Amino acid sequence: MIRFAAVNKAYAGRSALHNVSFLLERGEMAFLTGHSGAGKSTLLKLSMLIERPDSGEVTVNDQRLSTLRGRGIAHLRRNIGFVYQSHHLLNDRNVFDNVALPLQIAGFSHRDIARRVRAALDKVGLLSKERQIPSTLSGGEQQRVGIARAVVNKPPVLLADEPTGNLDPQLSTEILQLLQEFNNVGVTLLVATHDLALIAKMPHRSLILRQGELIAGAGSADAPAASNQPQDSAGNPIEQPARHAPASAADRQSGSGGIT
Amino acid sequence: MLGIAIAVPTLLQVGVSNLQQISGHNSAGLEINAYLRPGLDDAPSELMGWLDGQELVLQQKFISAEQGLKEFASLVGEEAAALAGSLPDNPLPATVHIILQQQAGMAETADELASALRSRPEVEAVSFDLEWFRKAEALVNLAANLHIAALLLLGSGVVLVIGNSVRVGIESRREEIVVAKLVGATHAYARRPFLYLGLWLGAGGALLGLLLTGLCLLALTHYISPIEEAFGTSLGLHGLSLPAALWVLLGSAALGWLGAIIACAQQLHRMNPG
């Protein structure tokens, strides 16, 4: 579903991703972890053509992204839901209209839009808040609006960039459970996060990036072995403090986890 | 600003078409009067036949001395006519009035025709004011050229002004555009509302410009009517016809659309997520 083949990407001469190859199967859910600046965001941006690789090939939904231009890029993004840490919600319109945006762009009828938006809001438990402006909602609620907007189009692929970044552990768990539910109905999911305590709770493969290199979790073949304790396969000291810390949020604040 | 940018070329257009009408009156094209020798009271068939063969001649009309006197009377009033009638002989010669075909660079060929007429035995004198004709033609040409220059300058002004308004509009909706592109908006989708904005600004500017033009013409008429009364003639200042006003509206809307396309091409492509 998502395939990276020998992908390199550099910004101003500084390598962001180096020779990254992996395959995420259809319907699979995986985490993408690593330090800040390890290349997580770059990898996600390459997956939906916000950026283009310097070399190598990215394939999403059986489309080789290097072949896409203009309209092709727009249509690719209609088939990828994207959940951001910073929500990217528009505060000049209410929750309903925010969630409706992808459907309006794709040209759905008013009736279909109303039906699908309400279904998505119901799914994330915010149906009662459809008339509110996003900025009046709590952080967790805003994130759920973002998720509703990402899935309203029923995309086969969902990408999430630090979806729990600003939330406390309990809300983070709720958000991840919500994402898990979409995976349960067949959506392919790639979640970038450095919340290792959260990862440890879920039986999914982890792709671990360090300074632009994928050091673990590359192929789907090693997914079962690595699924529960991805840190071990990495043999990476970065992972150690976080794995033993039950409350990662506290860790983050003290800086002991080495995570920003 | 937009209204003025549209009103100025529109007013110039009105001015030029009025000027062309005035000069057109005098020359429809150009006229030559050939005064015949005294005693020639019937149309000299040889001369008329010769004129028939001239390519430049649109129309020729023989006016006998008697007819000429009547026309003179109607022009100068009864008293003067009575004075002329009191003369023993009709002082006016028979005349051939010639209207020429209007064509480019006709001043020279008309001059040749006038010379040929002078050398004919039936003709005593020829009145033909080449200089006046040349001056009028040059003035109208100058006005028309000025008009085109103003149209180009102020037209590009309209494109720039609207382009700038659209740019400001795009900038103020940057966040929305970025989010829309992230969830799959094409360039065309992101651009559409701004093209409409340009179109409406252009059309609105045209309406304002037409209003200004109307007010200016009204003011001009106010000043022109005393002149017309003084001269006892009608200059017949013509306003903008409905089709012309529609062209102004359409043209301005098209310029607005163009300005928006340029602004979007520069601005929207830079507004990418990431």
Side-chain angles (χ1 to χ4, degrees):
Chain A
M1 208 59 180
I2 301 178
R3 180 195 293 275
F4 275 55
V7 170
N8 286 289
K9 175 72 182 174
Y11 293 105
R14 201 176 150 268
S15 176
L17 285 180
H18 180 67
N19 198 24
V20 170
S21 300
F22 70 89
L23 169 69
L24 195 64
E25 300 280 2
R26 190 179 300 271
E28 197 184 347
M29 178 169 176
F31 291 108
L32 180 63
T33 72
H35 270 307
S36 261
K40 302 191 296 289
S41 292
T42 303
L43 192 150
L44 293 181
K45 282 176 180 173
L46 291 173
S47 306
M48 59 185 301
L49 277 179
I50 294 172
E51 303 278 0
R52 285 185 185 273
D54 297 331
S55 65
E57 181 69 73
V58 181
T59 309
V60 177
N61 286 340
D62 303 324
Q63 282 184 296
R64 284 166 56 222
L65 303 196
S66 60
T67 63
L68 298 180
R69 295 279 180 280
R71 194 169 288 272
I73 298 173
H75 284 100
L76 168 82
R77 289 180 186 159
R78 289 177 196 179
N79 286 317
I80 302 176
F82 204 121
V83 180
Y84 307 87
Q85 178 176 9
S86 57
H87 319 312
H88 272 311
L89 299 174
L90 299 171
N91 285 313
D92 63 349
R93 61 198 71 189
N94 62 29
V95 166
F96 182 96
D97 290 333
N98 266 282
V99 177
L101 189 63
L103 300 177
Q104 286 167 350
I105 286 169
F108 281 80
S109 72
H110 280 293
R111 243 184 46 203
D112 279 353
I113 288 175
R115 194 170 49 78
R116 286 189 178 222
V117 169
R118 297 225 161 85
L121 283 175
D122 191 32
K123 181 79 188 152
V124 300
L126 287 174
L127 195 51
S128 60
K129 309 218 168 174
E130 64 171 358
R131 296 273 158 243
Q132 291 198 31
I133 299 298
S135 57
T136 64
L137 302 176
S138 72
E141 286 171 334
Q142 289 189 38
Q143 192 55 280
R144 281 189 282 158
V145 175
I147 292 171
R149 186 183 61 191
V151 301
V152 74
N153 218 3
K154 300 197 174 149
V157 177
L158 199 55
L159 305 176
D161 191 4
E162 304 285 359
T164 62
N166 295 323
L167 306 176
D168 64 43
Q170 194 196 335
L171 278 175
S172 297
T173 308
E174 280 177 29
I175 293 289
L176 267 196
Q177 275 168 354
L178 188 57
L179 292 175
Q180 173 72 62
E181 283 174 36
F182 290 110
N183 177 241
N184 291 346
V185 295
V187 177
T188 308
L189 228 115
L190 184 59
V191 181
T193 180
H194 52 231
D195 193 342
L196 299 168
L198 211 60
I199 296 174
K201 288 183 195 166
M202 301 181 94
H204 297 299
R205 170 154 71 115
S206 280
L207 291 90
I208 302 170
L209 280 169
R210 187 168 63 183
Q211 291 176 349
E213 289 190 53
L214 193 60
I215 55 171
S220 61
D222 44 316
S227 62
N228 272 320
Q229 290 190 314
Q231 299 90 341
D232 291 345
S233 69
N236 183 355
I238 302 165
E239 266 65 61
Q240 296 310 318
R243 188 168 53 135
H244 299 299
S248 62
D251 253 356
R252 265 204 304 280
Q253 274 163 1
S254 69
S256 66
I259 302 162
T260 48
Chain B
M1 167 63 202
L2 208 54
I4 294 171
I6 289 161
V8 171
T10 311
L11 268 172
L12 273 169
Q13 170 64 48
V14 172
V16 168
S17 71
N18 274 300
L19 260 178
Q20 276 168 342
Q21 207 153 24
I22 290 170
S23 73
H25 266 312
N26 285 345
S27 59
L30 184 59
E31 296 174 354
I32 298 179
N33 282 312
Y35 303 109
L36 305 184
R37 292 192 187 286
L40 275 173
D41 254 359
D42 291 322
S45 55
E46 202 186 324
L47 178 65
M48 300 302 264
W50 179 77
L51 283 171
D52 263 339
Q54 296 298 312
E55 203 188 322
L56 199 59
V57 176
L58 181 71
Q59 204 186 330
Q60 61 218 0
K61 189 178 159 199
F62 176 76
I63 302 163
S64 69
E66 213 170 311
Q67 243 177 314
L69 191 63
K70 274 185 209 153
E71 274 184 28
F72 173 69
S74 72
L75 269 173
V76 296
E78 275 177 32
E79 279 175 38
L83 189 70
S86 68
L87 292 170
D89 287 323
N90 183 350
L92 298 175
T95 309
V96 178
H97 182 69
I98 301 159
I99 298 172
L100 302 180
Q101 191 102 42
Q102 210 158 17
Q103 45 185 248
M106 63 181 294
E108 301 308 321
T109 41
D111 197 35
E112 281 167 25
L113 181 70
S115 306
L117 269 172
R118 271 189 203 101
S119 63
R120 286 196 69 90
E122 308 91 326
V123 179
E124 187 169 73
V126 172
S127 95
F128 166 58
D129 193 344
L130 182 64
E131 278 314 302
W132 153 249
F133 179 75
R134 280 192 174 141
K135 282 175 191 160
E137 204 175 43
L139 272 175
V140 172
N141 281 345
L142 175 70
N145 285 337
L146 269 178
H147 171 242
I148 289 169
L151 204 67
L152 285 176
L153 270 174
L154 293 162
S156 35
V158 170
V159 171
L160 287 177
V161 168
I162 291 181
N164 205 45
S165 305
V166 170
R167 236 185 297 280
V168 171
I170 292 173
E171 202 51 52
S172 72
R173 290 173 70 181
R174 168 185 284 275
E175 201 190 352
E176 183 185 343
I177 293 164
V178 168
V179 170
K181 282 191 171 182
L182 279 173
V183 296
T186 56
H187 178 70
Y189 181 92
R191 189 174 72 159
R192 196 172 307 138
F194 298 106
L195 292 189
Y196 288 138
L197 177 66
L199 194 73
W200 286 121
L201 283 175
L207 288 179
L208 213 64
L210 288 173
L211 192 72
L212 278 173
T213 307
L215 288 175
C216 287
L217 284 177
L218 211 64
L220 268 179
T221 314
H222 181 71
Y223 289 110
I224 279 177
S225 47
I227 301 175
E228 286 182 334
E229 270 171 41
F231 282 87
T233 59
S234 166
L235 291 175
L237 187 65
H238 293 277
L240 207 58
S241 64
L242 188 67
L246 281 177
W247 275 116
V248 170
L249 192 71
L250 277 177
S252 176
L255 287 178
W257 181 270
L258 181 69
I261 286 179
I262 293 170
C264 288
Q266 291 173 334
Q267 204 94 340
L268 274 186
H269 280 298
R270 265 186 275 158
M271 226 166 257
N272 279 321

